[in-house]
Structure formats: C-alpha cells, structure tokens
C-alpha cells in the first residue's frame, strides 16, 4: 500500500480518471456498433458525423489512440459507402 500522501492522492485520481475514460470508451464502442448495425444508408449518413466527432474528441484527449480513431472512421466510411 502507498505510504506517501502524494501517492495516495495519485491512486484516488487514477481510479476517478479510469472510470471516466471507461465510460466514454464504452459509449464510443456502442455508437460504433449501432452505426455498423444500421442497414439504411440515409440513417447511417446522418449518424456518421456524430460518431466521427466522438472519435476525434476521444483521440484528442488520449482516451483512444489517434490512429485507432482514424482506422475506425475509415472502416465506418467504407461500411456506409457499401450500403445500397
């Protein structure tokens, strides 16, 4: 167990940050799943900008890696283009 005041505080902060980051990462994953499940192109095109914005925000705050965000956006764009 931590002996220093600063390390005890660091543990407290890390728990709080981890919870915060997990929530937003899970929300992002659910949004991506929802978009991939859509079969109507018009609905997908409407939802894509909000998912894209979410991915950009999460990569900017280092919750997910910027390349992962780029890869997800790319695959979603391909998915939307394939819809008829």
């Amino acid at each position: 167990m931590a002996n220093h005041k600063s390390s005890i505080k660091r543990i407290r902060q890390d728990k709080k940050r981890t919870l915060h980051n997990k929530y937003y990462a899970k929300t992002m994953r659910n949004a991506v799943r929802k978009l991939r499940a859509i079969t109507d192109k018009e609905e997908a095109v409407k939802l894509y900008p909000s998912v894209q914005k979410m991915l950009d925000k999460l990569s900017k705050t280092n919750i997910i890696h910027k390349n992962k965000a780029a890869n997800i956006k790319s695959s979603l764009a391909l998915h939307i283009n394939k819809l008829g």
Side-chain angles (χ1 to χ4, degrees):
M1 185 58 204
N3 293 321
H4 298 291
K5 261 186 154 181
S6 61
S7 56
I8 292 169
K9 181 178 178 181
R10 174 67 56 207
I11 290 167
R12 242 186 5 250
Q13 288 174 329
D14 286 344
K15 282 182 187 175
K16 190 175 178 180
R17 273 197 200 99
T18 301
L19 267 176
H20 178 265
N21 291 347
K22 275 186 181 177
Y23 169 76
Y24 283 104
K26 184 70 174 176
T27 305
M28 178 268 303
R29 284 197 301 273
N30 287 337
V32 170
R33 272 191 211 113
K34 184 178 175 185
L35 184 59
R36 284 201 176 117
I38 292 175
T39 54
D40 183 35
K41 188 168 185 167
E42 287 180 20
E43 277 186 58
V45 169
K46 285 181 186 175
L47 186 62
Y48 182 67
S50 63
V51 174
Q52 188 177 13
K53 184 177 177 182
M54 188 184 300
L55 287 164
D56 288 336
K57 280 187 176 181
L58 292 178
S59 67
K60 190 172 89 173
T61 55
N62 292 320
I63 293 173
I64 60 171
H65 196 273
K66 64 177 184 169
N67 290 351
K68 178 177 180 157
N71 289 337
I72 293 172
K73 286 192 294 185
S74 174
S75 70
L76 288 175
L78 281 173
H79 170 73
I80 291 171
N81 285 334
K82 285 181 183 176
L83 294 175

